[in-house]
Amino acid sequence: MANTRLSMRKIIDVLRLSHEGGLSHREIARVVKSSPTTVGEILRRAKLVGVTWPLPAGVSELWLEAQLYPPVAPSSQSRPEPDWPSVHRELRRKGVTLDLLWQEYKAEHPSGYHYSGFCAHYRRWVARLSLSLRQTHTPGEKLFIDYAGPTVPITDAMTGEIRQAAIFLAVLGASSYTYGEATWSQSLPDWIGSHVRTFEHLNGCTALLVPDNLKSGVTTPCFYDPELNPTYRDLATHYGTAVLPARPHRPKDKAKVEAAVLLVERWVLARLRHQTFFSLDELNGRLVELMAALNSRPFKKLPGCRQSAFGEMDRPALRPLPLTRYEFAEWKVVRVGIDYHVEVVGHYYSVPYRFAREKVDSRLTATTIELFHRGVRIASHARNDARGRHTTVDAHMTPGHQAVLGWNAPRLLDWAGRIGPHTAAVVQSLLHQRRHPQQGYRACLGILRFGKTYGDDRLEAACERAIAIGATSYSSLKSILKNGLDQKRVVSAPAQTCLPVEHANLRGPDYYH
């Protein structure tokens, strides 16, 4: 090709063949695989600057290139330089082109670059901006994870309602072997479940997981120190792997799965566009067939396919799976109340009383509730979904509360019986007035302890008076004993001409005799 600069090695061959071999321009052109015009231009330049053969000792190719092709002097006409960072940012906007930006630049600077020069200068500026690092993937080291952009519609056969299913993808770094499945959403349970099924499909786990920064995996994205979702971190710990999220806005960190997303969209999802699915299982059954075909497609530039490369490289290097499958557990930070109980999904679970008012981590599975304080488990309960109820372990209670808990109905009735029949009748009445007998334990215990303050005889007399006037509550007995009414005789009330109003707080005239 005319006027095409040859490599310095071929330029030196042109000088040697011309001076030592005496060959013509056409013969030299056949040897170096160029045109006679290019050969003539090289010899003309060499003669012009005085370069002869043999070359002086110690001459480098850089020196020879500088002699034959000296740098072009800059143009004396100064042109205004565009704001290249601004041009680069504007090109990220949808619909913005270099032609549009050049027109805006030319309108502001009529003496500026023409369009071809504008584009050439921009390309040179971008080339200096950043360099791409070609990643070399070690077998069994990384599993790249993401969701495909398009979703697949699933039709409810009964109602005709259409729901969109998300497509989960995981790609091994060394072999590019790809696993895909459909889930109803990208929420935490589906995200974790897809990981578990991926590991079981591969029959092993990689040393690192490289996900995108979706909320189910990364709670707080950060360029330097991202904060993982506690459940996702728990999954990684269970399988003996580590999570290395891609940097925000750096898709090249997970280029493997980005390429896989494109392949799956073209070779898998595009084939499903005319099919109607009525269940998630039906869609996943079809995905199994198409993903197997994708992994069996031969490489264009390498021998074999993804399936064979997986068997040769990644499969032997994968870490073995643990003996038990990961059980989905949701983590949540909760604060212990003053009653040393924490609320988890509407139910209250106890922790040791010394952790009252502290923040603890709750781990919720389908069957258990575990509570941790600074990484140490302080309580474990069977899960109970009854809202508003309490699950309490006796050992978690304060010594005083444990003493109260030790009382029961037979013990209270036995104590009251030793004082007297009227006291036993009052206690029996209080226990039967409440829907749950436990709700009357404190009142009964308070009445019985009046015997230590006033004596058993006065308490028996007070209970007799309370029964006579129909006021057997703790507050009534406290008032009777405090005012010494237990030592006065109860006067029978005259016959009433109307029906009395019966209520524990309406004592009647006999109470004050």
Side-chain angles (χ1 to χ4, degrees):
M1 183 182 293
N3 298 325
T4 300
R5 183 186 297 186
L6 300 180
S7 66
M8 294 309 299
R9 180 181 59 80
K10 288 188 176 182
I11 290 176
I12 293 174
D13 288 341
V14 169
L15 296 175
R16 178 178 58 81
L17 293 172
S18 176
H19 290 83
E20 290 185 356
L23 301 180
S24 66
H25 292 182
R26 191 174 299 278
E27 291 172 334
I28 296 173
R30 279 199 297 268
V31 173
V32 297
K33 294 181 173 56
S34 182
S35 68
T37 304
T38 302
V39 171
E41 175 66 16
I42 294 172
L43 294 175
R44 185 189 67 81
R45 286 175 176 267
K47 183 178 181 181
L48 185 64
V49 297
V51 174
T52 60
W53 189 265
L55 296 175
V59 169
S60 65
E61 292 184 358
L62 290 177
W63 178 87
L64 181 60
E65 182 179 14
Q67 296 297 314
L68 298 178
Y69 300 97
V72 179
S75 174
S76 59
Q77 182 180 3
S78 176
R79 299 182 186 273
E81 194 75 10
D83 183 5
W84 296 121
S86 177
V87 171
H88 190 63
R89 285 194 302 270
E90 289 297 315
L91 278 176
R92 297 180 181 179
R93 298 180 182 271
K94 188 175 182 179
V96 178
T97 63
L98 271 174
D99 181 64
L100 174 62
L101 296 174
W102 171 75
Q103 292 179 24
E104 295 174 352
Y105 161 76
K106 196 68 173 175
E108 186 176 356
H109 305 286
S111 61
Y113 295 113
H114 294 295
Y115 179 66
S116 58
F118 182 89
C119 294
H121 280 78
Y122 172 71
R123 284 192 292 268
R124 283 195 289 269
W125 182 86
V126 170
R128 297 193 302 268
L129 187 63
S130 63
L131 300 176
S132 296
L133 172 66
R134 177 168 293 277
Q135 301 183 40
T136 302
H137 299 288
T138 304
E141 181 187 21
K142 291 181 180 179
L143 182 69
F144 298 87
I145 304 152
D146 202 356
Y147 282 96
T151 56
V152 179
I154 298 179
T155 304
D156 190 312
M158 301 296 295
T159 64
E161 178 187 2
I162 297 178
R163 293 181 62 185
Q164 300 294 328
I167 305 301
F168 172 90
L169 295 175
V171 184
L172 287 166
S175 64
S176 296
Y177 183 86
T178 306
Y179 171 82
E181 69 170 24
T183 58
W184 283 123
S185 69
Q186 300 181 20
S187 62
L188 183 61
D190 285 335
W191 170 256
I192 296 299
S194 294
H195 278 73
V196 173
R197 289 184 289 272
T198 300
F199 298 152
E200 293 176 350
H201 175 79
L202 300 175
N203 195 27
C205 182
T206 56
L208 292 173
L209 305 177
V210 185
D212 201 359
N213 286 276
L214 76 167
K215 282 292 183 182
S216 297
V218 182
T219 303
T220 306
C222 178
F223 191 91
Y224 300 103
D225 188 20
E227 181 180 347
L228 299 179
N229 185 294
T231 302
Y232 196 32
R233 186 173 58 246
D234 194 30
L235 169 85
T237 302
H238 181 81
Y239 285 100
T241 183
V243 180
L244 182 65
R247 294 172 296 173
H249 312 297
R250 294 294 187 276
K252 290 184 179 180
D253 284 1
K254 50 183 179 64
K256 279 282 183 178
V257 74
E258 294 290 345
V261 166
L262 183 62
L263 281 175
V264 169
E265 290 176 2
R266 293 177 176 177
W267 292 92
V268 177
L269 300 184
R271 298 175 186 270
L272 304 178
R273 66 189 186 280
H274 298 310
Q275 300 183 35
T276 302
F277 299 97
F278 298 98
S279 69
L280 197 64
D281 291 339
E282 182 183 357
L283 172 58
N284 276 320
R286 182 68 176 132
L287 285 177
V288 169
E289 301 173 4
L290 295 175
M291 294 304 299
L294 175 65
N295 287 318
S296 299
R297 290 182 66 245
F299 291 126
K300 288 186 177 180
K301 298 182 179 180
L302 297 174
C305 60
R306 289 173 175 80
Q307 182 69 50
S308 61
F310 169 66
E312 294 172 5
M313 294 187 292
D314 277 316
R315 176 173 288 171
L318 292 177
R319 300 185 176 189
L321 296 178
L323 297 178
T324 58
R325 193 186 199 198
Y326 176 75
E327 182 181 13
F328 176 76
E330 194 166 359
W331 289 80
K332 183 181 178 182
V333 178
V334 293
R335 186 178 290 277
V336 183
I338 59 174
D339 61 348
Y340 45 85
H341 283 72
V342 298
E343 185 268 329
V344 181
V345 196
H347 194 85
Y348 296 87
Y349 301 91
S350 67
V351 299
Y353 67 89
R354 64 181 179 276
F355 296 105
R357 300 184 179 88
E358 293 280 348
K359 282 186 177 181
V360 297
D361 297 315
S362 64
R363 182 176 184 269
L364 173 66
T365 70
T367 57
T368 60
I369 296 288
E370 294 178 287
L371 299 163
F372 297 83
H373 182 260
R374 296 181 179 178
V376 179
R377 190 172 72 171
I378 58 176
S380 178
H381 301 274
R383 179 168 177 172
N384 191 328
D385 293 327
R387 302 185 71 85
R389 301 295 182 86
H390 292 70
T391 297
T392 307
V393 176
D394 296 349
H396 293 168
M397 304 175 71
T398 65
H401 291 180
Q402 292 185 39
V404 173
L405 186 67
W407 293 98
N408 51 47
R411 185 176 177 185
L412 293 171
L413 288 171
D414 179 67
W415 185 1
R418 292 198 300 269
I419 295 174
H422 295 95
T423 305
V426 168
V427 170
Q428 183 75 26
S429 174
L430 288 175
L431 292 176
H432 285 82
Q433 284 178 4
R434 309 295 176 90
R435 183 175 181 181
H436 299 286
Q438 292 86 348
Q439 295 175 335
Y441 286 180
R442 289 190 179 183
C444 293
L445 193 59
I447 291 172
L448 293 174
R449 285 179 174 171
F450 284 145
K452 296 183 178 179
T453 306
Y454 299 99
D456 291 346
D457 294 337
R458 288 194 61 186
L459 176 58
E460 176 67 14
C463 289
E464 181 181 4
R465 185 180 183 87
I467 293 172
I469 63 177
T472 57
S473 65
Y474 169 80
S475 58
S476 297
L477 283 164
K478 180 179 179 180
S479 179
I480 291 172
L481 291 168
K482 183 178 180 180
N483 295 292
L485 300 179
D486 57 291
Q487 299 173 351
K488 298 181 180 180
R489 184 175 61 84
V490 179
V491 179
S492 300
Q496 297 181 353
T497 57
C498 61
L499 294 174
V501 178
E502 296 183 0
H503 193 279
N505 295 333
L506 299 179
R507 301 188 178 97
D510 295 339
Y511 181 85
Y512 300 98
H513 288 173

